[in-house]
Amino acid sequence: MTSPRARRSPRRTEALSRERIVEAAVGLLDAAGEGGLTFRALTERLATGPGAIYWHVANKGELLGAATEAVVAAAVATGPQRTGRAGGTEGAEGAEESGGAAEAAREGIRCVALGLFDAIEEHPWLAPQLAGQLSRNPGGPVAPRIFENIGRQVRALGVPGDSWFTATSALVHYVLGAAGQNAANTASGRALGPDADRAGFLDAVSTAWEGLDAEDYPFTRAVADQVREHDDREQFLAGIDLVLAGITALHLPAGRPGGSPEA
Amino acid sequence: MTSPRARRSPRRTEALSRERIVEAAVGLLDAAGEGGLTFRALTERLATGPGAIYWHVANKGELLGAATEAVVAAAVATGPQRTGRAGGTEGAEGAEESGGAAEAAREGIRCVALGLFDAIEEHPWLAPQLAGQLSRNPGGPVAPRIFENIGRQVRALGVPGDSWFTATSALVHYVLGAAGQNAANTASGRALGPDADRAGFLDAVSTAWEGLDAEDYPFTRAVADQVREHDDREQFLAGIDLVLAGITALHLPAGRPGGSPEA
DNA sequence: ACCTGAACACCGTTCAAGT
DNA sequence: ACCTGAACACCGTTCAAGT
């Protein structure tokens, strides 16, 4: 209007684009959760009006979907190179020793799963997004992306073709369920206070479970102390291994390429 | 009317209570999804003002939590008596034959899981609720209720105590992940049109997956037709059995009380 | 084509006031 | 104690109007 030059807004020009909008949306979601994503906060952050955003994006739902897709794509892309304990299996392609390829596939599954786990923990708003409206647009690329990455490793494991869908679905469902639950936990932990970050929250849950009615909740009470001491990632991987063991037992031919000694 | 004899007075008196409010909330959620729960719709349905509702309920979040708890409680309570294929194992308590108790425990797990599965399918708004803010109030009774019901059967299975938490967590996570994903699917199916109820939606997903890039999504494309033909409940139970097989392989003593002949 | 910004309908929540 | 209902701040979305 008045002066197209030099206004004290740090990023006045820069040209608005769908990519920049999605980027800003992810930033708002990370900073303040699902409630933090607002068209008004977005217009302020991007120094525009709502109409400009609606030119690039149909509505809030599509924006949430695009943010979800962006984060998931980044997560499964960088998954294999993570710094966590699930690295160092680059011999997967050439491995031909009995069970070597299968074990590499198992490591690959753990990698993809951990990538999603970390992404959901880093962006807790992802969990309900994936759980509640992932398939709002079934043609959308986020469901196939997860499915493809895990499914390839299932195939490499040696699972026969008619069990691919069952085995892959089970893994994906476990990953989404576990990671989602975990995100809910970390989110609540933050809400309790930034200092009592994680241990404090687990302690609160554990104490609450110990205080349950002894007659109605004997099992939950008995397990309460295991809640206090468990490690999230470790527990998550233990669950993955449980599903993998089930796949090995039910879907792998008797040759058990898993590498475990015959018993 | 004002007469106490009056049969079904849709509104008027009836005395407002927290229970009646939660009941109405579930009705609105079932009818129109999460967006259907509105204080204005609630006031109209209950013939009151918003202040009356706020007298019994702190805010919308608490109302959603109460609705979730009510539905989950009903689901796990009626689970064992369902009409589905997972009934008829009332001999669990007295069974002493080798493996009989363990197999009964497995059936019990399938029952509880199917109860939750059906509840989420019947109330699709439950899925993000359970995934995203189940542990918003960790002392709340919904997480322990699910955990307790599955955990007891895990104990009955013969899993040693120090694996209870791992095994039960894996089962719960799978159930929540699978049921949540399924609810998203059915919800999208309804959105596509009431006539193309379920098969039409699966067909759409299958076709979309077949149309994916051949180089980026070879596995997903190869599995597309299995998507079209699969049955939700069957697939869900197959996943349960996968996790159960993993628990048997990793956490059950060598005596394998599962009933399978020794090998 | 891309952007502006006032305006609209609707939402959760509050609160002085009633019984 | 329990309920009423106007009012408030905020939200997603639209659209005539500008460049």
Side-chain angles (χ1 to χ4, degrees):
Chain A
M1 293 290 178
T2 42
S3 160
R5 194 89 175 118
R7 208 63 167 177
R8 52 169 123 164
S9 81
R11 43 177 70 175
R12 57 217 182 286
T13 28
E14 269 297 343
L16 200 55
S17 68
R18 186 185 158 96
E19 191 181 37
R20 257 169 57 78
I21 293 173
V22 171
E23 186 184 340
V26 171
L28 286 172
L29 287 164
D30 289 347
E34 189 151 2
L37 179 56
T38 287
F39 274 84
R40 276 160 235 267
L42 217 45
T43 57
E44 193 184 352
R45 191 151 173 155
L46 295 168
T48 45
I53 297 174
Y54 275 95
W55 178 259
H56 296 274
V57 157
N59 50 41
K60 193 181 181 180
E62 187 188 302
L63 184 53
L64 266 169
T68 301
E69 186 203 327
V71 171
V72 167
V76 300
T78 62
Q81 295 103 289
R82 305 211 119 256
T83 60
R85 54 154 275 199
T89 58
E90 83 291 322
E93 329 156 23
E96 297 224 26
E97 298 180 27
S98 81
E103 187 49 35
R106 272 183 255 264
E107 273 302 307
I109 288 171
R110 293 189 193 99
C111 276
V112 178
L114 269 184
L116 277 168
F117 183 86
D118 290 341
I120 294 182
E121 194 156 38
E122 198 174 345
H123 314 279
W125 50 271
L126 249 185
Q129 209 60 26
L130 289 173
Q133 44 178 321
L134 174 127
S135 45
R136 188 66 72 81
N137 47 344
V142 38
R145 204 185 292 268
I146 297 174
F147 207 85
E148 177 75 22
N149 273 275
I150 292 189
R152 286 186 191 178
Q153 317 279 1
V154 166
R155 190 183 49 189
L157 232 190
V159 171
D162 57 355
S163 299
W164 285 353
F165 183 62
T166 298
T168 305
S169 290
L171 280 166
V172 170
H173 289 155
Y174 169 78
V175 169
L176 292 180
Q181 214 51 41
N182 219 264
N185 287 345
T186 40
S188 315
R190 282 178 196 164
L192 273 185
D195 51 338
D197 219 0
R198 185 90 193 104
F201 173 74
L202 287 181
D203 200 77
V205 175
S206 181
T207 304
W209 283 20
E210 279 165 352
L212 287 169
D213 184 90
E215 215 164 315
D216 290 346
Y217 296 94
F219 179 83
T220 305
R221 281 167 53 102
V223 169
D225 61 320
Q226 295 185 39
V227 171
R228 187 182 275 110
E229 291 160 13
H230 89 278
D231 173 78
D232 291 328
R233 282 171 79 92
E234 198 178 311
Q235 205 64 30
F236 174 72
L237 286 173
I240 294 277
D241 286 343
L242 225 43
V243 182
L244 286 176
I247 292 174
T248 303
L250 295 191
H251 293 304
L252 244 40
R256 80 195 64 201
S260 83
E262 58 173 347
Chain B
M1 307 287 195
T2 39
S3 160
R5 187 94 171 90
R7 263 273 180 109
R8 273 249 179 192
S9 169
R11 282 156 205 136
R12 268 286 157 262
T13 31
E14 268 296 344
L16 200 56
S17 68
R18 186 185 158 97
E19 190 182 37
R20 257 170 56 79
I21 293 173
V22 171
E23 187 183 339
V26 171
L28 287 172
L29 287 164
D30 289 346
E34 188 150 3
L37 178 56
T38 285
F39 274 83
R40 275 162 236 266
L42 218 44
T43 58
E44 191 183 355
R45 192 151 174 155
L46 295 168
T48 45
I53 296 173
Y54 276 96
W55 178 260
H56 295 274
V57 157
N59 50 43
K60 193 180 181 181
E62 187 188 303
L63 184 54
L64 266 168
T68 301
E69 186 203 327
V71 171
V72 167
V76 300
T78 62
Q81 294 104 289
R82 306 209 119 258
T83 60
R85 53 155 276 199
T89 58
E90 84 292 321
E93 330 156 22
E96 298 223 24
E97 298 181 27
S98 79
E103 188 48 37
R106 272 182 257 262
E107 272 303 307
I109 288 171
R110 292 189 195 99
C111 275
V112 177
L114 269 184
L116 277 168
F117 182 86
D118 291 340
I120 293 183
E121 195 156 39
E122 197 175 346
H123 315 278
W125 50 270
L126 249 185
Q129 208 60 25
L130 288 173
Q133 43 179 319
L134 174 127
S135 46
R136 190 64 73 81
N137 49 345
V142 38
R145 204 185 292 268
I146 297 175
F147 206 85
E148 177 75 23
N149 274 275
I150 292 190
R152 286 185 192 179
Q153 317 279 2
V154 166
R155 190 184 48 190
L157 233 190
V159 172
D162 55 357
S163 298
W164 284 353
F165 183 63
T166 298
T168 306
S169 291
L171 280 165
V172 170
H173 290 155
Y174 169 78
V175 169
L176 292 181
Q181 214 51 40
N182 219 265
N185 287 346
T186 41
S188 316
R190 282 178 196 164
L192 272 187
D195 50 337
D197 218 0
R198 184 89 193 103
F201 172 74
L202 286 181
D203 200 77
V205 175
S206 182
T207 304
W209 284 20
E210 279 166 352
L212 286 169
D213 183 271
E215 214 165 316
D216 289 347
Y217 297 93
F219 179 84
T220 305
R221 280 166 55 102
V223 169
D225 62 320
Q226 295 186 39
V227 172
R228 187 181 277 109
E229 291 160 13
H230 90 277
D231 174 78
D232 290 329
R233 282 171 78 94
E234 198 178 311
Q235 205 64 28
F236 175 71
L237 286 172
I240 294 276
D241 286 343
L242 226 43
V243 182
L244 286 176
I247 292 174
T248 302
L250 296 191
H251 292 304
L252 242 41
R256 80 196 64 202
S260 83
E262 57 172 347

